Amino acid sequence: MISITTSHNKKVYFASDQHLGAPTMEASFPREKKFVAWLESIKNDAEAIFLLGDLFDFWFEYKTVVPKGFTRVLGKLAEISDSGIPIYFFVGNHDLWMKDYFEKELNIPVFHKPQEFLINQKKFFIGHGDGLGPEDIGYKRMKKVFTFPLFKWMFRWLHPDLGVKLGQYMSVKNKMISGEEDFKFLGAENEWLVQYCKKKLQENHYDYFVFGHRHLPLEIELAENSKYVNLGDWINYFTFAEFDKNRLILKEY
């Protein structure tokens, strides 16, 4: 378990689901600039930054090629990482084919599964949120296919001009592949990530569960001293979470 203790007046930030590149590079460009502006606004008081997946609407790493674009956000992440502020990246369902580019080029560790963190002695369970809980059945099937080594090997043999274009098309158009959810609150008793968190609480206590994927900014009390927070997105809500010493709250940029 990674432990983080914030210095005086420092904070820990969480954001998710920017989906840069959707529905087109041109359409997402203003959102990219807004997200970069947010990163710039927090860099002076950030102890650490967590990015919980789907930063890109599609991402695939060939051995020597990565998708074109996203220069501003990658540059800003490099600047922040080089300044000594740790950034932790969790792959989402749209950028699940991320390999080691972030780790080698930006010194940003990449996690493919939820992880436990201890922040100011508060226990966090952090991940993107896709494929967890009792629902999301269609996506769970597709994820097994997309993460199968033979499928990834076959996709890598497509020329990047064809492979990236095909991946972008599927990501935007096909809801089964993208794992997109309806943007409607189902009630705490019907939210599958809430159900997942409650089941995890039967095994261990966590002060905070922090996920993305659902695209709705949510704060739900699970039990005494335990809360589920969904970060929302940078398409409709432009929300993020801020942990200030011992309290996690959602904010809008």
Side-chain angles (χ1 to χ4, degrees), residues 79-146:
E79 174 194 331
I80 292 173
S81 178
D82 287 348
S83 74
I85 300 170
I87 302 173
Y88 302 96
F89 191 91
F90 291 76
V91 302
N93 49 302
H94 285 249
D95 43 28
L96 57 83
W97 283 330
M98 188 169 285
K99 195 177 178 183
D100 58 6
Y101 180 78
F102 267 39
E103 294 174 345
K104 290 182 176 179
E105 295 294 327
L106 308 176
N107 194 32
I108 295 175
V110 173
F111 301 98
H112 290 262
K113 295 181 180 179
Q115 301 290 322
E116 295 180 357
F117 282 78
L118 193 66
I119 307 177
N120 289 353
Q121 300 304 309
K122 298 288 186 179
K123 196 172 181 181
F124 283 69
F125 192 81
I126 301 170
H128 180 64
D130 59 312
L132 303 179
E135 301 298 331
D136 229 2
I137 303 301
Y139 169 67
K140 287 176 182 177
R141 294 195 189 103
M142 298 307 297
K143 186 175 182 178
K144 289 182 180 179
V145 174
F146 289 154

Side-chain angles (χ1 to χ4, degrees), residues 60 62 148-159:
F60 186 89
Y62 295 84
F148 190 62
L150 178 61
F151 181 88
K152 291 190 290 185
W153 180 83
M154 292 172 62
F155 192 90
R156 188 168 280 115
W157 277 98
L158 292 175
H159 189 281

Side-chain angles (χ1 to χ4, degrees), residues 32-47:
E32 179 180 2
K33 291 200 295 184
K34 186 168 184 174
F35 182 63
V36 168
W38 174 73
L39 289 170
E40 173 68 21
S41 74
I42 67 171
K43 70 178 185 180
N44 290 329
D45 69 354
E47 186 74 46

Side-chain angles (χ1 to χ4, degrees), residues 9 53 112 114 133 152 163 171 173 207-208 224 229 236 245 247:
N9 289 331
H112 290 262
K152 291 190 290 185
S171 185
K173 297 296 184 181
D207 295 284
Y208 294 103
E224 186 176 0
V229 174
N236 298 303
K245 290 300 180 184
R247 188 169 66 118

